[in-house]
Amino acid sequence: MLELRPDCETCDNDLPNGGPDAFVCTFECTFCADCTSNTHQDICPNCGGNFVLRPTRQASLLEKFPPSTKRVLKKT
Ligand SMILES: [Zn+2]
Ligand SMILES: [Zn+2]
């Protein structure tokens, strides 16, 4: 199950469920559209994977799997 994160790993932009600007990489790191194309040039800084549009989570699934606040971006 894809873990839904509430904001961009890089810039903390809000990325609500169903929003058009949320992208995930193959390892489910979440970024906004601006960071994926401009900051990271379509390569995930965590795992090197490519980005795809994040699928919209159904409301019934949101109740069972609420948005996570866990950060996956490696801190230096
Ligand atoms: Zn961002
Ligand atoms: Zn990644």
Side-chain angles (χ1 to χ4, degrees):
M1 171 62 66
L2 176 71
E3 209 171 70
L4 192 71
R5 298 198 179 87
D7 44 36
C8 173
E9 298 284 348
T10 297
C11 69
D12 287 332
N13 256 350
D14 285 339
L15 297 172
N17 181 50
D21 291 331
F23 288 81
V24 291
C25 77
T26 43
F27 283 95
E28 305 184 359
C29 321
T30 303
F31 298 93
C32 72
D34 186 53
C35 288
T36 54
S37 56
N38 296 322
T39 308
H40 303 311
Q41 270 129 40
D42 293 320
I43 306 288
C44 177
N46 289 340
C47 66
N50 294 117
F51 297 110
V52 294
L53 268 174
R54 185 177 66 183
T56 299
R57 173 100 10 124
Q58 292 170 2
S60 57
L61 283 175
L62 264 182
E63 284 172 24
K64 273 164 88 176
F65 305 97
S68 168
T69 54
K70 192 177 78 183
R71 313 288 297 185
V72 296
L73 194 67
K74 289 170 192 153
K75 300 286 182 207
T76 50

